[in-house]
Amino acid sequence: MPHAATKTGPRPSRVGLPCGERANISKTLYTRLIRGTPGTSIGAYAMVLFALGQGTPFDELLDVSKDHTGLLLDESRLPQRVRGPGKKTGAM
């Protein structure tokens, strides 16, 4: 019975489709995500992660308070206070 194996379970090409449907993306785009095709949008990855219940892990990437290198660069770009030669008064 050559067809018995296909009737016992889903076909390999349709295994991930429910996740793709929950993420509201096409089967073609979901296949590109699974294969790791370059040029696939980051938004598609975000939709699939959200559909899988992973939340939004990109929030941690975009959190400015956790970007130590960026904070150091911003601090180094701050203007330094320049003081000219001051008058010495004998007030004290």
Side-chain angles (χ1 to χ4, degrees), residues 26-41 45:
S26 68
K27 181 181 175 184
T28 306
L29 181 56
Y30 186 75
T31 304
R32 290 176 55 199
L33 285 168
I34 297 300
R35 290 182 181 165
T37 306
T40 306
S41 71
Y45 283 101

Side-chain angles (χ1 to χ4, degrees), residues 23-81:
N24 199 22
I25 60 173
S26 68
K27 181 181 175 184
T28 306
L29 181 56
Y30 186 75
T31 304
R32 290 176 55 199
L33 285 168
I34 297 300
R35 290 182 181 165
T37 306
T40 306
S41 71
I42 194 75
Y45 283 101
M47 288 189 299
V48 170
L49 287 173
F50 189 76
L52 290 173
Q54 299 295 321
T56 52
F58 299 110
D59 289 342
E60 295 174 12
L61 292 174
L62 300 175
D63 190 5
V64 178
S65 66
K66 294 182 182 179
D67 183 16
H68 301 293
T69 305
L71 291 173
L72 288 173
L73 285 172
D74 282 346
E75 187 177 324
S76 69
R77 291 180 188 148
L78 289 175
Q80 301 295 319
R81 187 170 186 177

